[in-house]
Amino acid sequence: MFEIHTLRLGELMIPQGESLLRDPIHAWYVTDGTTRILVDVGMPGVEETRRRLGIAATGGGPDSLVRTLGECGTDPGAIDIIIATHLHFDHAWNLDLFPQACVVVQRDEVFHAVDPVATQRIYYLRETLLSLLARKKPSGLRLIDGDVDLMPGVRLMKVPGHTPGMQVPIVSTTKGKVALVSDLGDHYRCWFPADPRATEHPMRFMTGSYLPGAIRSESERVYQDSMARVQAACDIVIPAHDFRIPSHIPAEWFEVPASTRGDLSHSKADHSKAAHSKAAE
Ligand SMILES: [Zn+2]
């Protein structure tokens, strides 16, 4: 049985009209006390994010990973396996911190990173691919095709939607199965679009269905089929970019958040600080 620690690595400030929306970036440390797994490796640091994507950020980079892993009592050198849910910049930037670990990624995701749909070109950074190519030991990279039982208690599901080679780990814990869904429905409102606990704008006609995220490579039907398949295979879902996700699972356990409080993606963030620092440059 595994425990899951959420690593809060930083935030992106996404321009939205005149405002900036805060977008939290997470990775997950998953361990049964013997095997140490990292699900995703986070975003570039503040300077790199601004230079490469033209957006403001806080945290990120290798420092935030080292610090948050340290808070879990471990360090990058102790990680055995990295599950890359997909290769977007905010999930797969810091691979070089883990030269000894085996990176597990869907083969179709690597192909898509080389030649993405046009709307996603900005999300794949060449350093991520170079980092995969540079993994010297054959044991340092495992490309997989489709659903795979990685080990007892950790199943990988290939779930196209956000990207063609997206994969979601289903992790067994003492309370049940947890799907770390990453960007396949990156907020609770995508999974429970009719539930007033999950969204400030419940859509009753969506009861029992799923709201695909705005960034997608596949059709809405394919995306929703992937979400339905994941929901059927787990007890709770943990979306990647929601402020309300549990910090330690199964100690903290809920299917739907208690309220919409903290779902800042709905509200315009106070960006006076960010605007001020930008003006000061
Ligand atoms: Zn993504």
Side-chain angles (χ1 to χ4, degrees):
M1 291 295 167
F2 288 85
E3 288 192 3
I4 303 168
H5 299 262
T6 297
L7 311 181
R8 173 73 56 87
L9 300 175
E11 292 181 15
L12 299 174
M13 308 292 170
I14 312 287
Q16 195 112 120
E18 293 295 298
S19 299
L20 294 173
L21 293 185
R22 293 171 60 200
D23 189 31
I25 305 299
H26 299 105
W28 291 269
Y29 173 54
V30 178
T31 185
D32 60 357
T34 306
T35 305
R36 288 167 290 261
I37 302 170
L38 196 54
V39 177
D40 288 345
V41 291
M43 61 189 267
V46 172
E47 284 307 313
E48 199 68 32
T49 301
R50 185 175 51 178
R51 191 169 68 81
R52 302 297 296 274
L53 291 117
I55 55 178
T58 59
D63 291 351
S64 65
L65 259 181
V66 172
R67 179 180 51 78
T68 52
L69 283 172
E71 288 166 4
C72 299
T74 189
D75 61 81
I79 299 298
D80 305 303
I81 296 169
I82 291 169
I83 298 171
T85 63
H86 62 308
L87 297 175
H88 282 171
F89 73 99
D90 51 335
H91 295 260
W93 176 259
N94 298 298
L95 287 170
D96 286 348
L97 252 188
F98 308 91
Q100 81 297 336
C102 180
V103 177
V104 182
V105 61
Q106 292 283 335
R107 193 182 311 274
D108 280 351
E109 184 62 15
V110 178
F111 285 141
H112 189 243
V114 174
D115 182 23
V117 293
T119 50
Q120 295 195 17
R121 271 186 208 133
I122 194 170
Y123 302 137
Y124 289 100
L125 302 183
R126 65 197 298 267
E127 284 86 344
T128 297
L129 280 167
L130 292 174
S131 179
L132 290 179
L133 288 170
R135 301 191 82 79
K136 299 256 188 308
K137 290 190 236 157
S139 58
L141 179 62
R142 183 174 168 198
L143 300 187
I144 59 174
D145 302 286
D147 296 0
V148 168
D149 284 316
L150 192 60
M151 66 187 69
V154 182
R155 179 166 178 75
L156 299 176
M157 294 178 71
K158 184 184 178 193
V159 281
H162 178 64
T163 70
M166 182 94 200
Q167 64 180 355
V168 165
I170 310 289
V171 181
S172 293
T173 73
T174 52
K175 284 198 180 162
K177 289 185 177 171
V178 179
L180 297 170
V181 298
S182 184
D183 287 358
L184 181 82
D186 59 356
H187 287 75
Y188 283 109
R189 66 175 181 275
C190 302
W191 291 88
F192 308 101
D195 192 321
R197 293 169 297 177
T199 172
E200 286 171 3
H201 307 289
M203 294 182 280
R204 240 183 298 164
F205 71 95
M206 291 286 287
T207 300
S209 191
Y210 305 100
L211 183 66
I215 298 168
R216 63 178 90 142
S217 64
E218 311 304 306
S219 75
E220 184 171 330
R221 282 187 202 282
V222 168
Y223 200 129
Q224 284 171 327
D225 285 351
S226 287
M227 293 177 82
R229 214 158 67 78
V230 167
Q231 186 73 291
C234 73
D235 297 297
I236 62 171
V237 299
I238 307 295
H241 294 285
D242 200 302
F243 276 99
R244 299 169 292 176
I245 62 175
S247 59
H248 184 199
I249 306 158
E252 204 185 340
W253 183 271
F254 55 85
E255 188 187 3
V256 188
S259 79
T260 59
R261 194 159 171 267
D263 183 15
L264 296 185
S265 58
H266 283 298
S267 55
K268 305 285 188 203
D270 172 12
H271 67 289
S272 54
K273 231 171 148 187
H276 185 262
S277 65
K278 210 164 184 191
E281 284 161 14

